[in-house]
């Protein structure tokens, strides 16, 4: 493959302006992520120390193989919710290496409300389990939770994708033959008792670990029986009498050591044969991405300059380079893995939509994973394009993309608006992983368009009633709408709601994709089949 010829001028004023802007953006992201991961009230740190418990990330460090990557999911989950009381939604999830095996990890963070499950905690855990199911990966659960956050119980219990889905997913993983291990560091109460109960293996720590459907206070209230935590659900009882747990550990370090030994017994499955070459660093410096991404989502940039800084050797075989030029398609390697890349260079027209549909079908036929680099305002609108069948051609791209069997990965590089999000494998279309850059925005349309549309509707409504607004009143309404849209379309809001699998530094894109692609090869892929295309 040929190396991309970069036209980036690193001495230009625009480059320096974008670089300075994105340095601030990434710096803010790093600060917010560090706070979500590590900033806790001293009283909670002291409480865990008194209980002889480690902080959750210290447990994780001992569990993972030294020097191996850990791809964390949704580190800023719930950052815009619950008055910031649940950093990272009170849990840690991600893909890591334990005893040489790729595993999905779910760890309760007992430094946040005792590890209680908020609604977004449940959503984050369910998403991690979905990732395990989609990629046929085993799971390790680090259990230390106070159970459901009762003031919000109506938002985490009753519906299909609420707390019950965790236990459904555990059952499905077992059915698939994907191993599960629970390390019980703290209390697993009520529904939480089913996490070790549904795991293939479990280790429980003496003194702090406990598993029961109802704790001592509830037992006394319901039955009048007085019983201690140890008698009801402690380590000795469960490993010698009930058999609910398999291994007794005197302390957390021993529990983790036993857990690593357990994982070391698991068979390693053969991955499907994605085309591979020897990995090679990009020819161009990935940090130059900071000078490529504009300081405003309205400004366009060449997606090929991005591709050149994330793929092996900066080499790229472009497909149909002279047709449908607003959608760049082509083949490259990322950490040695052959991938098909689709990246936006403007609005999707009829020709670029058809090009995308054809390219996706080629990748699907060739068993080539797909990477979508989103910077899309949508499909083109207007009389000419509707008469040429833009809705029909856009539907072809959506149909082929939705039905693709190969692993798909999506990166929100800038703007993601309207139906363009759908064609470019937005969250609803089951990408194996979806990541946002901190500058990115996602909404049904841009803030200005939304404000203008809603103000026009409001003015028309008032006119029918014989009323009108002053210029100042109109401007105030427009500003309020714009402010709301800007907040709710930000990467931080999207990640807070777990509309993605986390915000990442643009420079880390290549590594995140590498881990994701490697993990995806554990799941077999089916034959290419599509629904009805409207010709």
């Amino acid at each position: 493959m040929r190396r991309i010829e970069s036209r980036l001028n690193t001495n230009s004023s625009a480059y320096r302006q974008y670089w300075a802007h994105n340095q601030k953006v990434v710096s803010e992201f790093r600060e917010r992520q560090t706070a979500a991961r590590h900033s806790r009230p001293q009283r909670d740190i002291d409480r865990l120390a008194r209980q002889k418990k480690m902080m959750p990330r210290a447990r994780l460090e001992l569990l993972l193989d030294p020097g191996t990557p850990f791809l964390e999911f949704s580190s800023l989950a719930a950052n815009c919710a619950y008055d910031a009381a649940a950093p990272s939604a009170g849990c840690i999830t991600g893909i890591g290496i334990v005893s040489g095996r790729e595993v999905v990890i779910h760890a309760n963070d007992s430094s946040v409300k005792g590890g209680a499950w908020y609604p977004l905690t449940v959503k984050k855990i369910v998403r991690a389990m979905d990732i395990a199911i989609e990629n046929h990966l085993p799971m390790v659960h680090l259990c230390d939770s106070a159970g459901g956050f009762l003031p919000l119980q109506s938002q985490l219990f009753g519906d299909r994708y609420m707390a019950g889905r965790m236990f459904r997913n555990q059952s499905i993983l077992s059915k698939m033959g994907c191993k599960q291990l629970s390390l019980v560091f703290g209390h697993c109460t009520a529904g939480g008792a089913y996490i070790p109960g549904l795991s293939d293996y479990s280790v429980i720590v003496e003194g702090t670990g406990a598993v029961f459907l109802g704790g001592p206070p509830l037992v006394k209230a319901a039955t009048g029986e007085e019983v201690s935590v140890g008698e009801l659900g402690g380590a000795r009882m469960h490993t010698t009498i009930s058999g609910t747990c398999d291994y007794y550990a005197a302390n957390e370090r021993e529990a983790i050591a036993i857990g690593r030994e357990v994982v070391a017994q698991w068979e390693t499955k053969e991955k499907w044969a994605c085309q591979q070459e020897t990995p090679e660093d990009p020819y161009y410096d990935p940090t130059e991405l900071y000078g490529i991404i504009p300081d405003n989502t309205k400004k366009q940039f060449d997606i090929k300059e991005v591709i050149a800084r994330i793929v092996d050797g900066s080499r790229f075989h472009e497909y149909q380079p002279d047709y449908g030029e607003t959608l760049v398609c082509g083949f490259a390697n990322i950490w040695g893995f052959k991938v098909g890349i689709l990246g936006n260079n403007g609005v999707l027209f009829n020709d670029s939509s058809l090009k995308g549909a054809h390219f996706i079908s080629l990748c699907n036929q060739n068993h080539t994973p797909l990477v979508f680099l989103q910077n899309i305002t949508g499909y083109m609108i207007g009389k000419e394009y509707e008469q040429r069948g833009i809705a029909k051609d856009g539907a072809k791209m959506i149909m082929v993309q939705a039905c693709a069997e190969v692993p798909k990965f999506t990166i929100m590089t800038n703007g993601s608006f309207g139906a363009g999000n759908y064609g470019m494998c937005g969250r609803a279309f089951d990408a194996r992983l979806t990541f946002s850059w901190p500058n990115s925005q996602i909404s049904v349309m841009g803030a200005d368009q939304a404000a203008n549309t809603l103000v026009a509707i409001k003015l028309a409504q008032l006119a029918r009633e014989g009323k009108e607004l002053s210029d100042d009143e109109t401007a105030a309404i427009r500003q309020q709408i714009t402010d709301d849209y800007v907040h709710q379309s930000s990467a931080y809001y999207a990640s807070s709601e777990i509309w993605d699998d986390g915000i990442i530094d643009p420079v880390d894109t290549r590594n995140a994709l590498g881990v994701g692609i490697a993990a995806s090869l554990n799941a077999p892929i089916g034959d290419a089949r599509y629904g009805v295309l409207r010709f």
Side-chain angles (χ1 to χ4, degrees):
M1 285 185 281
R2 300 176 186 174
R3 179 178 296 140
I4 293 174
E5 292 186 14
S6 177
R7 298 178 181 177
L8 183 67
N9 180 2
T10 58
N11 294 317
S12 68
S13 59
Y15 178 88
R16 291 195 296 270
Q17 177 180 329
Y18 295 167
W19 175 280
H21 171 78
N22 285 307
Q23 284 290 307
K24 292 179 181 178
V25 169
V26 171
S27 177
E28 179 191 356
F29 159 61
R30 292 292 188 192
E31 289 175 4
R32 295 176 72 157
Q33 186 180 62
T34 297
R37 287 173 170 173
H38 303 292
S39 181
R40 300 290 183 271
Q42 189 61 44
R43 65 178 182 275
D44 291 319
I45 297 172
D46 293 342
R47 170 175 53 82
L48 294 183
R50 286 194 304 272
Q51 296 171 344
K52 297 182 180 180
K53 290 183 177 182
M54 286 186 278
M55 294 292 285
R57 291 185 184 275
R59 294 168 177 163
L60 194 61
E61 187 173 346
L62 286 176
L63 176 68
L64 295 169
D65 289 358
T68 59
F70 177 63
L71 180 59
E72 184 172 355
F73 304 140
S74 302
S75 62
L76 291 175
N79 78 92
C80 295
Y82 318 128
D83 296 321
S88 292
C91 67
I92 305 165
T93 61
I95 295 175
I97 309 296
V98 177
S99 297
R101 278 81 173 162
E102 291 167 309
V103 301
V104 173
I105 294 171
H106 145 232
N108 299 126
D109 188 346
S110 55
S111 70
V112 178
K113 299 291 185 182
W117 295 342
Y118 285 77
L120 285 170
T121 313
V122 170
K123 186 175 182 180
K124 183 173 175 179
I125 296 170
V126 168
R127 173 57 185 154
M129 292 179 174
D130 284 342
I131 290 170
I133 290 171
E134 291 164 357
N135 296 286
H136 289 216
L137 292 172
M139 284 198 74
V140 177
H141 307 275
L142 279 61
C143 305
D144 190 359
S145 172
F149 186 63
L150 294 181
L152 299 177
Q153 65 84 25
S154 66
Q155 301 174 43
L156 58 83
F157 178 72
D159 206 355
R160 181 178 182 184
Y161 291 100
M162 293 182 179
R165 193 73 173 185
M166 294 189 293
F167 315 126
R168 176 266 185 193
N169 279 1
Q170 281 193 271
S171 302
I172 296 300
L173 281 167
S174 183
K175 175 183 175 181
M176 294 168 58
C178 296
K179 306 293 191 295
Q180 293 178 81
L181 163 69
S182 283
L183 303 179
V184 181
F185 297 114
H187 286 194
C188 296
T189 308
Y194 290 108
I195 290 183
L198 288 166
S199 293
D200 303 280
Y201 306 86
S202 59
V203 184
I204 184 169
V205 177
E206 171 64 30
T208 57
V211 178
F212 32 57
L213 296 181
L218 181 59
V219 169
K220 183 175 181 179
T223 69
E225 180 184 12
E226 292 193 11
V227 61
S228 71
V229 169
E231 294 171 317
L232 191 63
R236 285 295 183 193
M237 190 282 288
H238 276 313
T239 55
T240 63
I241 299 175
S242 77
T244 298
C245 296
D246 303 314
Y247 301 93
Y248 169 95
N251 54 57
E252 294 194 359
R253 287 181 176 272
E254 184 180 7
I256 294 169
I258 294 171
R260 286 182 51 81
E261 289 179 8
V262 168
V263 175
Q265 312 312 311
W266 297 350
E267 75 273 25
T268 54
K269 298 179 181 178
E270 185 176 349
K271 299 186 177 187
W272 62 268
C274 176
Q275 293 185 59
Q276 286 184 256
E277 296 180 9
T278 302
E280 183 182 356
D281 290 339
Y283 177 78
Y284 300 107
D285 185 354
T287 63
E288 291 175 351
L289 289 168
Y290 298 143
I292 294 170
I293 306 305
D295 53 6
N296 190 312
T297 56
K298 297 177 185 178
K299 295 180 181 179
Q300 189 60 42
F301 62 92
D302 187 354
I303 199 67
K304 282 188 278 191
E305 297 287 0
V306 172
I307 294 170
R309 287 155 182 86
I310 65 174
V311 302
D312 290 10
S314 301
R315 286 190 288 271
F316 182 62
H317 174 79
E318 188 171 358
Y319 173 73
Q320 288 190 323
D322 302 318
Y323 178 74
E325 295 180 77
T326 59
L327 182 66
V328 174
C329 302
F331 298 100
N333 291 77
I334 295 177
W335 279 103
F337 299 112
K338 179 74 166 291
V339 296
I341 297 176
L342 295 91
N344 301 115
N345 259 353
V347 67
L348 287 165
F349 291 94
N350 299 75
D351 55 0
S352 46
S353 301
L354 293 171
K355 173 182 172 179
H358 193 175
F359 181 72
I360 292 168
S361 67
L362 292 175
C363 291
N364 204 28
Q365 181 190 60
N366 199 45
H367 289 180
T368 302
L370 288 160
V371 175
F372 295 83
L373 302 176
Q374 281 205 13
N375 178 30
I376 182 64
T377 56
Y379 291 91
M380 190 62 189
I381 61 174
K383 177 181 175 180
E384 175 188 352
Y385 302 100
E386 296 293 357
Q387 290 182 348
R388 288 168 56 185
I390 186 62
K392 182 174 64 173
D393 292 339
K396 291 187 182 78
M397 182 177 175
I398 290 172
M399 174 74 77
V400 172
Q401 184 268 109
C403 295
E405 294 285 345
V406 294
K408 299 179 290 187
F409 302 88
T410 301
I411 307 294
M412 306 287 192
T413 69
N414 200 39
S416 179
F417 302 113
N421 170 273
Y422 303 157
M424 291 294 293
C425 196
R427 188 62 153 177
F429 289 83
D430 296 329
R432 297 293 179 92
L433 294 172
T434 299
F435 291 109
S436 300
W437 287 357
N439 58 289
S440 66
Q441 296 180 18
I442 178 172
S443 61
V444 71
M445 63 178 70
D448 290 341
Q449 296 93 323
N452 291 336
T453 300
L454 293 173
V455 167
I457 292 172
K458 182 66 174 179
L459 293 176
Q461 177 186 0
L462 292 173
R464 289 193 297 270
E465 299 171 358
K467 302 175 184 177
E468 62 180 25
L469 295 176
S470 68
D471 290 345
D472 288 344
E473 290 172 323
T474 301
I477 293 174
R478 179 177 284 107
Q479 188 60 52
Q480 181 61 54
I481 294 170
T482 301
D483 291 345
D484 289 344
Y485 247 77
V486 167
H487 170 63
Q488 294 181 7
S489 64
S490 73
Y492 292 107
Y493 188 87
S495 216
S496 177
E497 294 295 310
I498 316 181
W499 296 348
D500 60 20
D501 294 309
I503 299 174
I504 58 173
D505 184 332
V507 172
D508 293 333
T509 302
R510 170 180 164 79
N511 291 339
L513 287 171
V515 174
I517 295 166
S520 75
L521 304 183
N522 288 282
I525 56 176
D527 296 327
R529 296 182 62 187
Y530 303 106
V532 176
L533 300 178
R534 186 174 294 277
F535 293 104

